């Protein structure tokens, strides 16, 4: 059984790079370019982990995380952001981890 990861980032190059790495590791990867698309994908697919950017159009990462906390508070979420000093807020909001951009993915 494949684990599914939903990558939510408005930068197509980041979605592409993460999708490539994670797919190579055997994960099923679903992508969304904004928070609204993430919510739609979440309803349509079984998701095991979400990688969530904060600076998203349409519905930002904080709003998406807040929505997710209401519908599935147990889903692991890793915040990926280029914003400085977001770790404490991310932890308080229920994120499981935070990765700062630029991402260093071996």
């Amino acid at each position: 059984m494949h684990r599914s990861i939903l990558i939510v980032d408005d930068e197509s190059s980041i979605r592409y790079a993460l999708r490539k790495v994670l797919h190579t590791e055997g994960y099923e990867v679903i992508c969304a370019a904004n928070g609204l698309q993430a919510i739609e994908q979440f309803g349509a697919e079984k998701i095991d982990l979400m990688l969530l950017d904060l600076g998203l159009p349409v519905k930002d990462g904080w709003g998406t995380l807040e929505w997710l906390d209401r519908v599935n508070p147990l889903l692991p979420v890793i915040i990926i952001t280029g914003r400085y000093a977001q770790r404490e807020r991310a932890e308080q909001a229920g994120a499981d981890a935070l990765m700062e951009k630029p991402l260093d993915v071996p």
Side-chain angles (χ1 to χ4, degrees), residues 51-71:
L51 301 179
L52 178 63
D53 186 20
L54 295 177
L56 299 170
V58 184
K59 185 172 191 73
D60 72 3
W62 295 122
T64 304
L65 185 59
E66 184 179 297
W67 172 85
L68 187 61
D69 191 47
R70 289 192 307 269
V71 299

Side-chain angles (χ1 to χ4, degrees), residues 82-102:
R83 295 180 182 177
Y84 178 72
Q86 298 296 303
R87 186 170 308 280
E88 185 175 328
R89 183 173 177 195
E91 289 172 358
Q92 290 173 349
D96 296 280
L98 183 136
M99 296 172 57
E100 292 182 349
K101 294 178 185 177

Side-chain angles (χ1 to χ4, degrees), residues 15-33:
R15 290 193 312 268
Y16 175 79
L18 287 172
R19 169 184 252 164
K20 185 176 179 181
V21 169
L22 294 169
H23 185 73
T24 300
E25 293 296 321
Y27 293 98
E28 179 182 342
V29 180
I30 302 147
C31 293

